[in-house]
Amino acid sequence: PPPHKSVCCSNHKLQRHNERIYLTMPTYKIYSPTGSLSPKLSAASKLLSKDGVKLATSYRNCALAHGPVLYTTDGVAVFGENSILKYMSGSHENWMVDEMLELERGIREAIKSSSAKELKGCLSELEEHLSNSTSGFLVSNSLSVADISMICTLDCCSVSDLKKFSAVTSYHSILSNHPVFKSNQSETQMSLVEHTVFSTVLKMFPQVGDEIFKPTGGCLTQKTKSVKMGHYQCTIALKLFSMLKKMSFEIVPDEIKFGPKGLAQAIIDNLPEKSVINKSKTSVTGPGFIMVQMDAEYLSEKINDFMKAGVKPKSQNGSDVLVDFSSPNIAKEMHVGHLRSTIIGESVCRILEFTGHKTHRINHVGDWGTQFGMLIEYLKCNNATGEIDQSSVGDLTEFYKASKKCFDDDEDFKKRSQLNVVKLQSGDEECKKIWNTLCDVSRQSFEKVYKRLGVTLNECGESFYNPMIPGVIQKFKDAKLIENEEGDAKVVFVDGYQAPLMLQKSDGGFGYDSTDMAALDYRINTLGCDRVIYITDYTQNDHFQMCFKAAKKIGWAGENVELMHIGFGTVLGEDKKRFKTRSGETVKLVDLLDESSRRMEASLRERMCENKANITEEEIKGVADILGYSAVKYFDLHRNPTSNYVFSYDSMLDTKGNTAIYLLYAHCRLMSILTKASDQYPERFAALPTFDALKLEHEAEINLAYHLNLFDEVIEMVLVDLLPYRICEYLYALSTSASDFVTKCKVLGSDEMESRLILCKATGMTMRACFDLLGLQYVMSI
């Protein structure tokens, strides 16, 4: 740590904002003995972070203090939570804040010493102050660090103590629900393991700098590939040994005399006797890897907490996110090529919504362009009644093919089609009516597919942005970013690409570049989205990267706006070419879903004949649809989207391996155990909600609990790149550990039945949460 200095604020510029003063300075660094911020400091960081104040935690303990210490960039040390709060907020000269923080300290000390008299006196003083306040806050008309400190301390008071003071009770009840008090700290298994190991290292070698914790060439701690070796692998001993070898010692420490393996064992020997790590079962392997085994008692406590709270994500500061996905073309049926964008996009939205983000689910349909001229002309020529309605269109695929053939073969038809485009863009009533009919028929076709896939979208197609394009071009002109190419085409060049973005063609027309830049302008500057995510095939990546760079160049997308493209590969047939029908046609998405359901229904009927199914005849079709559709979606989602894959009904519907069918059967097996427990042991089953004596003794129990507690880590990881396959990997690992558990550990009628039923219940809850995030339907029995 930097040398200690007395607190001095004279060198820092103060900025007045909303009647409060904030220090405009870079990131603060807080050293905490616990390795994490207290609720008080966490809430303060969120309150002040909007004005440039951020907090960073470190694993290094401060030898001079029992609590947190703040170090500023110029070496100032500030001790104690309340002093840190005052310093961060710039309220060190505000006597009212001082007075309220002193009152808070009095309440805290009274609680600590169990002095009912002192506590009553302090609460009476607070009651009087709040009764005279018109704002509902302690020192101003808005939340301040004084309120944060007071609310956190009142959380420690008993209900019986508070209810004697109505103003205090009301104040605490209202403000404790403020968003800043919602915890968003990462307390995953991995972070706790890291803190335990890293803190041990620092106690052993206090002279080591913080650079020991900066990963080089990979993470210092990661999950093991097999739980047989342990739960986590930590490689810090290798890096530490390399650093210690370069240091000079009067007496070489014993811990480094036996190389990295000896150092790793020394770290294990110095781990706390009681922590999240099972010290006795943690071992060294390879050149000096520490193979960490989680503590069973810790895992039991986490499962008990989970059963009380349910499946909840780590709280996020919710942002406004627009997700552009699916995007089929009007007058064309959805085909297998639309599958990936549609189901990946749905899952991405569910993940974002689950973690507190507001999403705009946008279907950027292709409802504008030159192709509509030929479609309109074909309807004019081939509609005997003269009335254009939905029955005039018929099968969308055949309709489009016939229109295209006329366009290619008949020059007069082609010319009339081109005139129709001009008429449509000019607002011609007849053309517009036919265009609306085409859009309506297509929407009905799309909606049938979306309903079967469980997908929700709001249509906002190319036609919506078309009127905005001239204004966008003018913005680029005003910013002096437009360059005129040959033929008076208007283009914008961006770094890293030789070809420009074409905002307007030489004939005055607009293309994809024009529409997508207008869409970006609207989404960022009108909707105010913090993030805009596009999900299309990987071949469009360069196009979107150019659009993103142009948006940044003109100033639309600053540091607070994230633009992202998730690209995906191609669905292939067994011949390793694009998946098509035997006749060479593109596979319709409805046909793919129908075939999957048909095959699943046949499989279920076979099981019924063998008395292996737990459903009725009336339920077969519905269950087959659920399993069949989920199988299609999972077969795609469980792999990295950037890769191509070969579509196979047999592989997709397999009851073994990493398939939706295996997962859904594994879930139903757990539900069957719970149902039998309710029927056969009603009294013991009814007592489960109050059971909190969970014990984990068998290795399979411990490993299942370990996997259950990985959920937060997985969600944290998937929020970085928004790739759903990470949830699939976790779901499969959880399911296999659950299958191993029910195979090796007798549940019904055993002495450990309650504990094991809790594990079954917790696993079912977590699996269903994962199914929901992936957009997979599930059943409770098969």
Side-chain angles (χ1 to χ4, degrees):
H4 303 316
K5 297 181 182 179
S6 59
V7 176
C8 175
C9 303
S10 59
N11 293 328
H12 300 302
K13 181 182 177 183
L14 297 179
Q15 175 185 357
R16 188 172 297 278
H17 180 69
N18 289 344
E19 299 183 350
R20 292 201 299 277
I21 296 176
Y22 292 90
L23 287 164
T24 57
M25 60 168 24
T27 302
Y28 287 111
K29 200 166 189 178
I30 289 185
Y31 296 101
S32 170
T34 64
S36 60
L37 298 180
S38 68
K40 190 183 291 187
L41 292 177
S42 177
S45 71
K46 281 182 269 187
L47 175 68
L48 304 175
S49 62
K50 294 180 180 179
D51 297 276
V53 180
K54 296 181 180 178
L55 298 176
T57 57
S58 170
Y59 295 103
R60 179 179 292 281
N61 296 330
C62 177
L64 301 179
H66 296 294
V69 182
L70 179 147
Y71 290 104
T72 67
T73 52
D74 62 352
V76 171
V78 185
F79 296 81
E81 288 187 335
N82 283 358
S83 295
I84 292 173
L85 293 186
K86 286 161 57 178
Y87 189 84
M88 287 195 306
S89 66
S91 57
H92 51 281
E93 295 178 351
N94 188 322
W95 66 270
M96 183 61 78
V97 170
D98 276 344
E99 186 174 303
M100 290 297 103
L101 289 177
E102 190 64 26
L103 178 57
E104 178 273 333
R105 189 177 70 84
I107 296 173
R108 184 160 26 97
E109 291 296 328
I111 296 171
K112 186 177 179 181
S113 63
S114 301
S115 174
K117 183 178 179 181
E118 290 294 329
L119 180 60
K120 182 179 180 181
C122 290
L123 290 176
S124 296
E125 186 177 340
L126 178 60
E127 176 80 6
E128 183 179 356
H129 179 82
L130 290 170
S131 298
N132 294 325
S133 171
T134 57
S135 66
F137 300 99
L138 291 181
V139 298
S140 63
N141 293 323
S142 58
L143 193 73
S144 70
V145 293
D147 294 299
I148 285 174
S149 187
M150 188 65 76
I151 291 299
C152 289
T153 295
L154 291 177
D155 283 342
C156 300
C157 289
S158 67
V159 176
S160 59
D161 285 329
L162 290 183
K163 71 178 183 180
K164 302 170 186 174
F165 304 94
S166 59
V168 173
T169 300
S170 176
Y171 166 77
H172 177 254
S173 175
I174 294 171
L175 289 195
S176 60
N177 290 314
H178 194 283
V180 300
F181 294 108
K182 292 181 180 178
S183 172
N184 68 345
Q185 292 187 56
S186 175
E187 292 247 336
T188 61
Q189 283 183 160
M190 185 181 292
S191 66
L192 292 171
V193 166
E194 282 188 330
H195 174 61
T196 303
V197 175
F198 293 177
S199 296
T200 299
V201 167
L202 285 170
K203 287 176 183 177
M204 294 170 64
F205 302 101
Q207 66 271 43
V208 174
D210 283 348
E211 61 269 20
I212 182 66
F213 306 118
K214 296 175 183 176
T216 53
C219 298
L220 292 173
T221 307
Q222 55 189 347
K223 289 185 297 181
T224 59
K225 293 182 179 179
S226 171
V227 292
K228 293 178 181 178
M229 300 293 293
H231 295 133
Y232 293 97
Q233 174 182 288
C234 187
T235 61
I236 194 170
L238 302 175
K239 188 173 182 180
L240 178 62
F241 181 76
S242 178
M243 293 178 66
L244 292 173
K245 276 204 312 182
K246 297 174 184 178
M247 294 182 180
S248 57
F249 298 96
E250 291 184 10
I251 301 176
V252 178
D254 291 338
E255 293 90 345
I256 64 174
K257 289 180 179 179
F258 303 101
K261 291 185 74 171
L263 180 58
Q265 186 58 55
I267 292 172
I268 294 173
D269 293 341
N270 281 275
L271 288 171
E273 292 300 326
K274 187 174 177 60
S275 72
V276 299
I277 297 174
N278 185 327
K279 182 177 176 178
S280 64
K281 292 190 176 182
T282 296
S283 59
V284 179
T285 189
F289 300 148
I290 299 174
M291 310 306 290
V292 174
Q293 186 85 16
M294 298 302 296
D295 180 68
E297 188 175 335
Y298 160 77
L299 293 173
S300 297
E301 291 174 358
K302 292 294 290 182
I303 298 297
N304 283 329
D305 292 341
F306 170 82
M307 292 305 296
K308 293 173 185 175
V311 183
K312 292 183 179 179
K314 185 184 77 170
S315 177
Q316 298 284 322
N317 292 324
S319 55
D320 210 334
V321 189
L322 186 144
V323 185
D324 181 324
F325 67 105
S326 191
S327 308
N329 289 315
I330 292 294
K332 289 184 179 180
E333 290 197 65
M334 293 181 72
H335 55 78
V336 70
H338 294 111
L339 175 68
R340 305 202 76 177
S341 177
T342 303
I343 62 177
I344 293 170
E346 175 67 22
S347 182
V348 165
C349 289
R350 287 171 178 246
I351 291 164
L352 290 167
E353 289 158 2
F354 179 70
T355 51
H357 300 280
K358 175 186 175 184
T359 63
H360 304 264
R361 298 157 159 262
I362 300 301
N363 197 4
H364 188 88
V365 297
D367 64 353
W368 204 249
T370 55
Q371 75 272 23
F372 283 96
M374 73 174 190
L375 297 171
I376 291 170
E377 185 60 27
Y378 185 81
L379 272 177
K380 285 181 178 180
C381 295
N382 293 279
N383 183 39
T385 64
E387 285 295 321
I388 305 296
D389 55 26
Q390 295 182 14
S391 62
S392 309
V393 178
D395 181 271
L396 284 171
T397 301
E398 295 304 318
F399 170 73
Y400 193 92
K401 282 184 188 176
S403 303
K404 187 69 168 64
K405 187 175 189 309
C406 289
F407 187 84
D408 293 338
D409 297 345
D410 187 334
E411 191 62 32
D412 288 337
F413 182 94
K414 184 176 183 178
K415 289 179 180 178
R416 294 196 304 272
S417 297
Q418 292 168 339
L419 289 174
N420 283 333
V421 175
V422 177
K423 288 181 181 180
L424 177 63
Q425 293 176 345
S426 301
D428 178 81
E429 287 299 322
E430 183 185 17
C431 288
K432 199 171 180 180
K433 180 181 178 182
I434 298 174
W435 175 74
N436 280 324
T437 299
L438 289 169
C439 291
D440 288 342
V441 172
S442 300
R443 285 189 194 103
Q444 290 180 16
S445 173
F446 301 158
E447 193 54 42
K448 290 177 182 177
V449 176
Y450 293 144
K451 186 175 181 180
R452 293 171 76 173
L453 290 173
V455 171
T456 304
L457 279 154
N458 295 311
E459 183 184 310
C460 195
E462 293 173 354
S463 62
F464 176 79
Y465 304 105
N466 199 63
M468 305 176 190
I469 294 175
V472 167
I473 294 173
Q474 187 60 49
K475 288 181 181 182
F476 276 93
K477 280 184 179 179
D478 294 343
K480 296 182 170 50
L481 296 176
I482 287 282
E483 294 187 35
N484 290 338
E485 291 258 295
E486 186 177 334
D488 203 32
K490 295 176 174 58
V491 301
V492 174
F493 285 90
V494 295
D495 292 340
Y497 294 90
Q498 290 185 339
L501 276 172
M502 184 78 67
L503 293 190
Q504 189 168 18
K505 300 175 185 178
S506 57
D507 62 1
F510 306 129
Y512 288 123
D513 293 353
S514 320
T515 305
D516 285 333
M517 288 312 300
L520 267 177
D521 180 31
Y522 177 77
R523 292 166 178 183
I524 296 171
N525 297 320
T526 301
L527 292 181
C529 295
D530 305 304
R531 300 169 75 184
V532 182
I533 301 166
Y534 294 83
I535 302 173
T536 72
D537 71 275
Y538 71 93
T539 61
Q540 297 187 49
N541 184 63
D542 281 348
H543 164 71
F544 283 111
Q545 295 307 322
M546 290 175 70
C547 290
F548 297 165
K549 287 193 173 188
K552 291 177 181 177
K553 191 171 184 179
I554 198 173
W556 296 345
E559 292 183 1
N560 296 326
V561 176
E562 179 186 358
L563 303 176
M564 181 179 185
H565 175 245
I566 299 175
F568 52 80
T570 306
V571 181
L572 306 175
E574 292 184 1
D575 58 358
K576 304 297 174 64
K577 296 179 180 179
R578 286 184 180 271
F579 188 37
K580 294 182 181 292
T581 63
R582 289 181 180 177
S583 61
E585 300 289 336
T586 302
V587 178
K588 295 179 184 179
L589 199 43
V590 290
D591 291 343
L592 187 149
L593 295 174
D594 286 343
E595 180 64 11
S596 179
S597 177
R598 185 191 67 76
R599 292 188 181 213
M600 198 65 238
E601 182 176 344
S603 174
L604 288 173
R605 291 194 180 280
E606 284 182 19
R607 289 178 61 86
M608 286 194 74
C609 292
E610 297 169 359
N611 292 319
K612 293 181 179 179
N614 192 26
I615 54 175
T616 64
E617 174 68 31
E618 292 74 19
E619 293 174 322
I620 288 180
K621 183 63 172 71
V623 172
D625 285 347
I626 290 173
L627 270 60
Y629 302 162
S630 293
V632 170
K633 296 169 81 171
Y634 187 83
F635 195 65
D636 190 298
L637 290 172
H638 88 279
R639 64 194 80 233
N640 192 315
T642 58
S643 62
N644 300 336
Y645 74 89
V646 175
F647 188 89
S648 166
Y649 286 109
D650 291 338
S651 299
M652 181 181 75
L653 299 173
D654 199 336
T655 57
K656 298 176 182 178
N658 192 5
T659 68
I661 306 303
Y662 167 76
L663 298 172
L664 292 166
Y665 272 108
H667 172 258
C668 287
R669 184 180 182 185
L670 294 172
M671 295 305 99
S672 175
I673 292 172
L674 290 169
T675 300
K676 289 177 180 177
S678 175
D679 293 341
Q680 298 174 19
Y681 305 92
E683 292 184 3
R684 293 177 71 178
F685 185 82
L688 282 182
T690 59
F691 182 80
D692 60 358
L694 182 68
K695 288 185 179 180
L696 304 174
E697 296 177 344
H698 195 283
E699 183 181 353
E701 294 175 313
I702 294 171
N703 287 335
L704 178 55
Y706 155 73
H707 279 97
L708 284 168
N709 285 320
L710 286 177
F711 182 77
D712 286 344
E713 286 178 26
V714 173
I715 296 300
E716 195 172 82
M717 187 186 305
V718 80
L719 283 174
V720 175
D721 54 22
L722 295 176
L723 297 181
Y725 82 90
R726 299 191 186 281
I727 295 175
C728 297
E729 287 180 344
Y730 167 70
L731 181 55
Y732 180 59
L734 176 64
S735 299
T736 53
S737 65
S739 296
D740 184 59
F741 159 69
V742 295
T743 301
K744 294 178 178 178
C745 300
K746 181 182 178 183
V747 179
L748 299 177
S750 66
D751 293 339
E752 305 88 352
M753 186 173 77
E754 284 78 4
S755 280
R756 291 175 176 175
L757 286 174
I758 291 292
L759 285 175
C760 290
K761 199 169 185 179
T763 305
M765 291 166 62
T766 306
M767 290 183 72
R768 289 192 292 276
C770 292
F771 290 148
D772 287 338
L773 291 173
L774 296 171
L776 305 182
Q777 290 180 284
Y778 54 85
V779 291
M780 303 302 278
S781 63
I782 302 176

